[in-house]
Amino acid sequence: MKTNLKFLNVLFVVVLAVSLAACAAPATPTQAPQPTTPPQPTQAEQPTTPPQPTEETAKPAEPVTLRYANWNLGTEEENNIQRQLIKAYTDANPHVTIEFVDMSAEGGWEANLTSYAAKGQLPDVFMANNVPLYVKNGWLADLTPLVSQDADWQKVPQAMKDAVTYNGKVVGLPAAQFIMGYFVNKELYEAANLDAPEYGISPDEFFNTAIALTNIPRGILGLDELEFVLGWYPSTLDKNLKWFSFDGEKMNYNSPAFKAAINKLTELKPYTWQGLTDEQKANFKSVGPWELFLNQEVGARWDASWNIPNYVQNATFDWDFIGIPGGNQALVLDIIVVSKTTSNLEEAYKFARWMTFSTEAYAKEAELAKAMGSAPKLPVAMDDASLALYQSFVDKPGVNAALQNLDDSLVESLAKIVPGYINARWEGKPGIDIGEDKDVNMWYMFNFAPEGRFKYEDYAAKLEEFANKIMADARAELNP
């Protein structure tokens, strides 16, 4: 529009000058702007204010192809919100083409990335499942200079920034945050003449209510699954502990709080799906614990806010989020990273920020979710406008309480961000035989301890020592 106005200003001056030329003395010739067909030269009076030069037409951006890998894209036929967000980005940036990288080969996410890295073909932008591994391998671009000048980055909670910062460098972008904890079917409790649990209920009250609600002959359970209690319960007994006994540096498997959590699992098992016999399962419509909540066969289900859109669309009862008993919640992060080998770091960053913490992208996601009759995920850049937008879809007392208390959250995504955690929690083998089960791993020890296959106290010190050596060695590899 500015270019057209400037051209009209020039044209007006030229016409005025020509009309005055017959009665004005000849002046120093001045060159008129050149239209498509040049006119015959003419002398024009020099105007008092010279016309401004016409702006040059902006050069089109150079075409860019970015290779992108993520596990949340669904299929082309489904055309989920993630694919629609990508389409919105390329519509606004027509010089950018997003090419999806095939990650379906056997071996898992890390094996596929390792294979691409060996060929010099890492995706430009990809979802991170194990950031410490990528840092160790030297795969990741340093995004510190870019985020430091990004206004939306200032709105990202510090805990999330810390999770993607290694040795003082920002090497990833928080792609999503999900609150995790218990969702409750308020109507089931009311039907049983019980007060429905609310955000902030004490652990003891919560457990007692779950036990009171359980009615197996009628197909009603108090809790859906057993294992998650071991993740959060120790933190309610010892405020120095975070998720699964992690204290910010090491695991505390030999602590009184963690041992008490093991015993608590044994007590609660009869009121969960894991405690049902095959004969008892026949009383339920559900064929697995994942179906219990929407089938209205459980009072409290452990889940995360990534499933809230499903509840918004499909729950036919009054539900709420109560998080972790005691007034907290776990926090799950998704992280997107940019490859160090990308040929265009600036363009890769612009796309990555759109898929992660951009407030503009969040508004677009909300628009797409509304059209689908669903709800967007929680915003990553937390400001009043984004929170209000989210609450226009989900306005539950427990969800609102959790959003006001995010700084105290237990970060559950330790496998993605803590060096050595995967082996310290699941895959490592501490050199233990249990009966005929030889050289069992850490998962085995935590999964079967509540069943009484062995006495956990006999192995707690060894498990803690083994885990913390793994984590110390892994940290040393990242900080030579």
Side-chain angles (χ1 to χ4, degrees):
M1 179 64 72
K2 291 181 180 179
T3 300
N4 291 338
L5 288 175
K6 290 175 181 178
F7 178 78
L8 290 175
N9 287 340
V10 172
L11 185 59
F12 174 77
V13 171
V14 171
V15 171
L16 179 61
V18 170
S19 65
L20 295 175
C23 58
T28 302
T30 187
Q31 184 67 39
Q34 297 296 315
T36 305
T37 304
Q40 295 300 313
T42 184
Q43 292 179 327
E45 183 178 328
Q46 184 71 29
T48 304
T49 303
Q52 296 298 311
T54 303
E55 293 181 2
E56 293 184 7
T57 303
K59 294 181 180 179
E62 293 292 330
V64 175
T65 296
L66 298 174
R67 298 172 63 250
Y68 180 54
N70 207 322
W71 54 68
N72 65 3
L73 297 171
T75 65
E76 187 175 357
E77 292 73 24
E78 290 170 344
N79 193 31
N80 65 14
I81 285 181
Q82 292 300 309
R83 284 180 179 258
Q84 292 181 53
L85 278 174
I86 294 170
K87 178 65 163 54
Y89 185 81
T90 55
D91 284 347
N93 299 273
H95 66 291
V96 177
T97 299
I98 304 300
E99 177 184 306
F100 297 152
V101 178
D102 182 8
M103 300 292 286
S104 62
E106 294 183 2
W109 196 256
E110 270 61 65
N112 276 271
L113 288 174
T114 301
S115 177
Y116 281 119
K119 295 181 288 187
Q121 298 176 359
L122 268 176
D124 296 284
V125 180
F126 57 97
M127 185 74 95
N129 195 46
N130 188 342
V131 176
L133 174 65
Y134 311 157
V135 172
K136 177 183 174 182
N137 291 345
W139 289 350
L140 305 184
D142 179 7
L143 305 178
T144 310
L146 295 166
V147 298
S148 65
Q149 301 178 35
D150 196 316
D152 280 350
W153 182 253
Q154 308 309 315
K155 305 172 185 177
V156 176
Q158 189 61 45
M160 301 179 74
K161 294 179 183 177
D162 292 343
V164 295
T165 301
Y166 289 74
N167 300 326
K169 297 180 179 179
V170 176
V171 297
L173 305 177
Q177 63 173 338
F178 304 99
I179 51 174
M180 177 180 275
Y182 288 106
F183 290 77
V184 296
N185 181 334
K186 298 173 69 173
E187 295 179 13
L188 275 185
Y189 295 97
E190 292 168 3
N193 293 318
L194 296 169
D195 292 332
E198 297 179 350
Y199 188 91
I201 188 174
S202 73
D204 287 344
E205 289 177 309
F206 175 72
F207 293 141
N208 290 338
T209 302
I211 292 170
L213 180 66
T214 300
N215 189 329
I216 292 175
R218 295 184 57 189
I220 302 293
L221 287 173
L223 297 177
D224 61 339
E225 298 192 71
L226 190 64
E227 64 175 296
F228 305 108
V229 175
L230 196 54
W232 63 264
Y233 187 55
S235 72
T236 68
L237 302 175
D238 183 344
K239 296 304 181 183
N240 294 315
L241 302 185
K242 304 180 187 298
W243 184 257
F244 213 81
S245 87
F246 183 60
D247 63 9
E249 180 182 355
K250 61 186 185 300
M251 310 307 295
N252 291 269
Y253 294 149
N254 195 33
S255 66
F258 196 77
K259 292 176 184 177
I262 293 285
N263 294 332
K264 180 61 69 174
L265 262 66
T266 302
E267 296 175 21
L268 294 174
K269 186 175 180 180
Y271 311 101
T272 69
W273 183 266
Q274 282 76 23
L276 296 176
T277 66
D278 289 341
E279 182 179 356
Q280 289 173 326
K281 289 178 182 178
N283 296 320
F284 294 80
K285 295 177 292 185
S286 302
V287 298
W290 57 90
E291 293 182 338
L292 290 169
F293 194 61
L294 287 181
N295 283 341
Q296 300 198 62
E297 294 179 316
V298 70
R301 168 166 174 74
W302 182 268
D303 207 342
S305 59
W306 58 62
N307 216 11
I308 284 181
N310 182 31
Y311 297 155
V312 169
Q313 289 179 308
N314 299 309
T316 58
F317 50 88
D318 188 15
W319 60 270
D320 199 2
F321 176 77
I322 67 165
I324 291 171
N328 205 350
Q329 57 283 319
L331 191 66
V332 179
L333 306 180
D334 277 346
I335 300 169
I336 282 179
V337 295
V338 176
S339 169
K340 194 174 185 178
T341 58
T342 184
S343 60
N344 195 320
L345 178 58
E346 183 176 354
E347 290 286 0
Y349 172 74
K350 288 179 180 178
F351 171 65
R353 75 178 298 279
W354 173 266
M355 300 305 296
T356 55
F357 65 89
S358 163
T359 54
E360 181 184 0
Y362 187 72
K364 183 63 178 180
E365 180 180 347
E367 175 189 322
L368 295 171
K370 184 175 183 179
M372 298 173 67
S374 183
K377 63 181 182 296
L378 287 171
V380 174
M382 305 288 284
D383 60 13
D384 291 342
S386 294
L387 280 174
L389 188 55
Y390 180 76
Q391 289 171 335
S392 71
F393 290 85
V394 181
D395 190 12
K396 296 286 185 177
V399 174
N400 295 337
L403 294 181
Q404 298 301 316
N405 187 37
L406 290 178
D407 289 342
D408 291 331
S409 301
L410 305 183
V411 177
E412 187 271 349
S413 303
L414 302 179
K416 297 178 182 178
I417 61 177
V418 176
Y421 181 80
I422 293 174
N423 283 326
R425 167 65 179 88
W426 292 290
E427 297 180 2
K429 293 184 176 183
I432 295 174
D433 298 334
I434 302 295
E436 296 181 356
D437 296 327
K438 307 299 182 182
D439 197 23
V440 300
N441 61 18
M442 298 293 277
W443 172 86
Y444 179 103
M445 297 301 293
F446 301 127
N447 189 66
F448 292 115
E451 294 189 1
R453 292 195 187 189
F454 54 90
K455 190 176 180 180
Y456 179 79
E457 289 82 353
D458 293 342
Y459 299 96
K462 183 172 184 177
L463 295 176
E464 182 174 298
E465 180 182 4
F466 174 76
N468 290 333
K469 184 179 187 308
I470 287 175
M471 297 176 76
D473 291 345
R475 284 195 302 271
E477 290 182 350
L478 295 186
N479 300 282

